[in-house]
Amino acid sequence: MDVDFIFKIAAIGIIVTVLHQLLVRSGREEQAMLTTLAGLVVVLLMIVDAISELFVTVKNLFGL
Amino acid sequence: MDIIKILSILIIAAILAIVLKQYKEEYALIISVAAGIIALLFAAEKIISPINMLREKIEEFGIKSEYFSTAIKGLGLAYISSFIGDICRDCGQSSLAEKAEIAGKCAVFILCVPLSLTLLDTVLGFI
């Protein structure tokens, strides 16, 4: 849970963008859409995990 | 020195968010949320020792620790509700941000009602 977390997300974002352009140029629009959605799901899972960790930490710390 | 580390992380995340904003809007937002979480986790860890020191000092004075823990709970609630409210505002959902803020305020209010009742009792006791 440090700097590399941000870079991982940025890397996934860039890769998905490149793949999207690649697939769109080669005429496969629907696969481009699926790739984008897949990348988004992966990133969302990572973010949900980070948010849950944040909430647990704050809950324990402030005694909520 | 640690604060410098966190500020640099936030700057890098902001720049990455701009880079990704042109291609995919949602990734820019997710990067800002991730950076916010890292900054908050860092701040939360740093805040532990002062809180404990304050708690021990307050118990020495004989003040009931329940008052202090209520204050800390209020701090945590405000902390989280403003964090989520700002994320909603980043998403462009300013109405959701207001709802988050209102929810946080209600929670803090509910927290403080018993405290104010005891205050009133003590004040009435004087009269």
Side-chain angles (χ1 to χ4, degrees), chain A residues 32-47:
Chain A
M33 163 62 80
L34 287 178
T35 321
T36 309
L37 286 184
L40 198 61
V41 164
V42 166
V43 170
L44 281 179
L45 285 179
M46 290 164 66
I47 272 292

Side-chain angles (χ1 to χ4, degrees), chain A residues 14-34:
Chain A
I14 291 170
I15 289 168
V16 164
T17 312
V18 169
L19 277 177
H20 184 83
Q21 294 297 338
L22 203 70
L23 288 170
V24 165
R25 288 291 176 276
S26 63
R28 298 185 187 83
E29 273 74 16
E30 60 284 354
Q31 282 158 8
M33 163 62 80
L34 287 178

Side-chain angles (χ1 to χ4, degrees), chain B:
Chain B
M1 207 297 287
D2 281 348
I3 195 67
I4 307 290
K5 186 164 83 89
I6 282 302
L7 296 183
S8 53
I9 290 176
L10 292 179
I11 288 177
I12 292 168
I15 292 168
L16 279 176
I18 292 177
V19 166
L20 276 169
K21 209 177 194 46
Q22 313 143 16
Y23 309 107
K24 287 276 183 279
E25 187 77 23
E26 59 274 11
Y27 287 103
L29 175 81
I30 288 180
I31 283 181
S32 72
V33 169
I37 287 174
I38 288 178
L40 261 181
L41 279 179
F42 169 78
E45 273 141 22
K46 286 293 171 193
I47 219 168
I48 288 177
S49 54
I51 283 184
N52 292 342
M53 272 191 273
L54 267 174
R55 184 166 283 152
E56 281 136 22
K57 185 59 75 176
I58 279 182
E59 263 144 28
E60 269 167 36
F61 291 159
I63 302 169
K64 270 203 300 198
S65 74
E66 170 242 352
Y67 300 144
F68 180 71
S69 65
T70 311
I72 292 300
K73 275 190 191 143
L75 173 67
L77 279 170
Y79 199 61
I80 275 291
S81 64
S82 70
F83 176 73
I84 300 299
D86 291 341
I87 289 181
C88 295
R89 212 164 278 123
D90 278 356
C91 296
Q93 308 291 338
S94 54
S95 63
L96 287 184
E98 294 306 321
K99 304 297 185 296
E101 301 283 344
I102 289 170
K105 291 187 179 93
C106 291
V108 173
F109 176 70
I110 291 167
L111 203 68
C112 295
V113 162
L115 210 62
S116 48
L117 289 184
T118 49
L119 173 69
L120 285 179
D121 293 343
T122 45
V123 166
L124 287 179
F126 292 150
I127 301 170

Side-chain angles (χ1 to χ4, degrees), chain A residues 53-64, chain B residues 48 55 72:
Chain A
E53 182 185 348
L54 173 75
F55 280 163
V56 165
T57 312
V58 167
K59 198 181 288 184
N60 300 339
L61 177 64
F62 292 105
L64 289 174
Chain B
I48 288 177
R55 184 166 283 152
I72 292 300

